[in-house]
């Protein structure tokens, strides 16, 4: 699917509109452990939503691109690392919405470009490297002003895509059917997706977030997001910080083994940066009796499968 995306005419067929009208795809995961505990695990496959703009990034970009067009912009600018799902999704989503895109990439642009950046460039994204020290200033008004002098006016999408319009989008991830599940799980990066889920889940539900970054700071980060976007969750929630496997984009052999097993046994493809860590954490919590018997759990597959190619290339591992 990913390798052949160029065969889709992204500009003439508006996949954004088509994707929103598509019924959601669910996959039930069968496992003796779940049967034993009478626990139901269903994966909501957001990775299958759109031919390339996968998962939560689709929801995060949707209203941003709509706003960019309504405000009369002809280009968007955003930031990300060299393997970023957000850069990849923005390049393709902007192109399919008839917008130009500029990607400010942390660090150097190393030739030949990796698969993520090659795709982005093929969709017309102009890639510009930023030194790591400059990158740290990416939210400062002076840097943004310099970028405006250099590139002309643009619609700014922050790193990772989390802003008010992104959360407006991620609020729409859960549909009526999903609101009948006891638990909903998702991986957490910047928290924009989790914030949207928190805004939409019902009082009888509990959201379980799995932070993919090392550290406890994510709790205050989520609190800040809730405050900033005036979200007062009706549901309860828990954020687990023990499944980062060393930190962002870091991995351990047991994570790789787990991802391979789920692909083989359940035909469920997972990425090592986000969804693999969430599913590992979910299995571990079920094993540790975190969930009451009879629980119905919905795991949100947030996509990110494009990143597998770069991961494999970099580490010589096959997933
Ligand atoms: C970006 C991303 C996330 C994290 O989303 P946030 O809104 O930043 O928390 C999770 N999963 C995948 C696959 C992603 O690409």
């Amino acid at each position: 699917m990913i390798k052949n995306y160029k065969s889709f005419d992204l500009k003439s067929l508006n996949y954004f509109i088509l994707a929103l009208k598509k019924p959601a795809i669910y996959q039930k995961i069968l496992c003796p452990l779940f049967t034993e505990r009478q626990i139901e695990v269903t994966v909501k496959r957001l990775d299958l939503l759109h031919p390339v703009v996968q998962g939560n990034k689709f929801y995060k970009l949707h209203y941003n691109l709509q706003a960019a067009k309504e405000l009369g912009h002809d280009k968007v600018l955003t930031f990300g690392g060299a393997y970023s799902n957000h850069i990849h999704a923005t390049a393709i989503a902007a192109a399919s919405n008839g917008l130009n895109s500029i990607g400010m990439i942390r660090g150097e642009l190393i030739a030949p470009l990796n698969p993520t950046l090659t795709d982005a460039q093929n969709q017309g994204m102009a890639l510009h490297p930023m030194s790591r020290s400059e990158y740290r200033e990416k939210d400062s008004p002076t840097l943004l002003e310099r970028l405006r002098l250099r590139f002309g006016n643009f619609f700014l999408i922050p790193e990772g895509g989390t802003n008010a319009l992104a959360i407006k989008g991620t609020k729409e991830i859960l549909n009526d059917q999903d609101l009948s599940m006891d638990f909903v799980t998702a991986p957490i990066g910047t928290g924009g997706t989790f914030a949207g889920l928190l805004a939409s889940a019902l009082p009888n539900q509990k959201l379980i977030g799995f932070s993919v970054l090392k550290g406890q700071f994510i709790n205050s980060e989520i609190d800040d997001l809730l405050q900033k976007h005036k979200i007062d969750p009706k549901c309860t929630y828990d954020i687990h910080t023990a499944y980062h496997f060393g930190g962002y984009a870091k991995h351990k052999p047991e994570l790789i083994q787990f991802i391979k097993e789920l692909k083989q046994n359940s035909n469920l493809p997972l990425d090592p940066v986000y969804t693999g860590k969430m599913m590992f954490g979910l299995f571990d919590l079920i094993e540790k009796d975190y969930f009451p018997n009879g629980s119905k759990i919905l795991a949100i597959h947030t996509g990110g499968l494009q990143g597998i190619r770069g991961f494999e290339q970099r580490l010589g591992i096959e997933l």
Side-chain angles (χ1 to χ4, degrees), residues 90-120:
T90 303
I92 295 159
S96 72
N97 278 277
L99 291 161
N100 296 316
S101 62
I102 299 167
M104 304 304 296
I105 308 301
R106 183 181 61 233
E108 287 165 56
L109 286 179
I110 298 163
L113 292 177
N114 71 40
T116 302
L117 296 181
T118 301
D119 285 356

Side-chain angles (χ1 to χ4, degrees), residues 54-57 60 84-86 89 159-162 166-167 170 186-195 210 212-213 218 222 225 248 271 273-275 300-306:
Q54 285 200 349
N56 63 340
K57 298 301 184 284
K60 293 179 86 168
S84 162
N85 294 330
H86 168 67
E159 184 189 40
T162 291
I167 293 175
T170 57
I188 303 182
T190 62
T193 304
F194 203 63
F210 293 93
V212 303
L213 290 102
I218 192 65
I222 294 289
L225 276 178
Y248 183 72
D271 80 296
V273 181
Y274 294 101
T275 55
I300 308 291
H301 192 311
T302 46
L305 300 179
Q306 70 83 22

Side-chain angles (χ1 to χ4, degrees), residues 184-195 198 206-226 233 236-243 285 290:
V184 177
T185 77
I188 303 182
T190 62
T193 304
F194 203 63
L198 285 172
K206 183 163 184 176
L207 293 197
I208 312 291
F210 293 93
S211 176
V212 303
L213 290 102
K214 194 172 175 169
Q216 300 300 322
F217 69 95
I218 192 65
N219 286 291
S220 55
E221 203 113 319
I222 294 289
D223 288 344
D224 290 349
L225 276 178
L226 293 182
T236 55
Y237 64 97
D238 226 352
I239 296 172
H240 292 269
T241 54
Y243 300 103
L285 290 179
Y290 175 92

Side-chain angles (χ1 to χ4, degrees), residues 36 68 112 128 161 212 222 276 280 297 305:
E36 193 186 295
H128 298 279
V212 303
I222 294 289
F280 188 101
I297 304 168
L305 300 179

Side-chain angles (χ1 to χ4, degrees), residues 43-310:
V43 176
K44 184 164 188 173
R45 297 282 305 269
L46 297 186
D47 58 311
L48 300 174
L49 194 67
H50 177 281
V52 253
V53 186
Q54 285 200 349
N56 63 340
K57 298 301 184 284
F58 179 91
Y59 286 90
K60 293 179 86 168
L61 288 167
H62 178 61
Y63 290 113
N64 273 295
L65 295 177
Q66 195 174 307
K69 286 192 286 190
E70 278 167 16
L71 293 169
H73 285 280
D74 64 353
K75 57 180 169 292
V76 298
L77 179 143
T78 197
F79 303 90
Y83 296 92
S84 162
N85 294 330
H86 168 67
I87 287 287
H88 191 260
T90 303
I92 295 159
S96 72
N97 278 277
L99 291 161
N100 296 316
S101 62
I102 299 167
M104 304 304 296
I105 308 301
R106 183 181 61 233
E108 287 165 56
L109 286 179
I110 298 163
L113 292 177
N114 71 40
T116 302
L117 296 181
T118 301
D119 285 356
Q121 196 170 56
N122 284 342
Q123 287 301 316
M125 181 177 256
L127 300 172
H128 298 279
M130 267 178 114
S131 72
R132 281 162 205 274
S133 57
E134 202 185 10
Y135 196 85
R136 279 193 286 276
E137 304 297 314
K138 65 188 178 318
D139 299 320
S140 81
T142 46
L143 181 89
L144 291 176
E145 201 177 297
R146 256 192 310 181
L147 292 176
R148 289 213 153 85
L149 284 174
R150 185 169 163 198
F151 298 115
N153 205 13
F154 51 77
F155 183 87
L156 175 71
I157 303 177
E159 184 189 40
T162 291
N163 59 11
L165 290 169
I167 293 175
K168 182 178 174 193
T170 57
K171 266 189 211 170
E172 295 177 1
I173 290 177
L174 297 180
N175 61 26
D176 289 348
Q177 180 181 346
D178 304 338
L179 293 172
S180 71
M181 304 298 277
D182 305 316
F183 294 89
V184 177
T185 77
I188 303 182
T190 62
T193 304
F194 203 63
L197 295 172
L198 285 172
S200 55
L202 294 181
N204 58 332
Q205 297 190 294
K206 183 163 184 176
L207 293 197
I208 312 291
F210 293 93
S211 176
V212 303
L213 290 102
K214 194 172 175 169
Q216 300 300 322
F217 69 95
I218 192 65
N219 286 291
S220 55
E221 203 113 319
I222 294 289
D223 288 344
D224 290 349
L225 276 178
L226 293 182
Q227 206 165 32
K228 185 169 168 197
H229 298 285
K230 301 189 174 58
I231 297 168
D232 185 10
K234 296 195 275 288
C235 62
T236 55
Y237 64 97
D238 226 352
I239 296 172
H240 292 269
T241 54
Y243 300 103
H244 56 73
F245 291 90
Y248 183 72
K250 300 271 168 47
H251 66 96
K252 298 229 159 83
E254 61 264 37
L255 176 67
I256 303 303
Q257 188 58 31
F258 173 81
I259 290 173
K260 284 184 176 174
E261 271 174 30
L262 237 66
K263 190 173 169 193
Q264 250 170 23
N265 301 342
S266 302
N267 199 20
L268 179 68
L270 297 169
D271 80 296
V273 181
Y274 294 101
T275 55
K277 292 180 180 180
M278 168 188 71
M279 287 306 285
F280 188 101
L282 175 57
F283 271 66
D284 193 52
L285 290 179
I286 293 174
E287 203 152 44
K288 290 178 172 152
D289 271 332
Y290 175 92
F291 299 98
N293 279 12
S295 296
K296 285 198 173 83
I297 304 168
L298 182 72
I300 308 291
H301 192 311
T302 46
L305 300 179
Q306 70 83 22
I308 290 176
R309 300 166 303 171

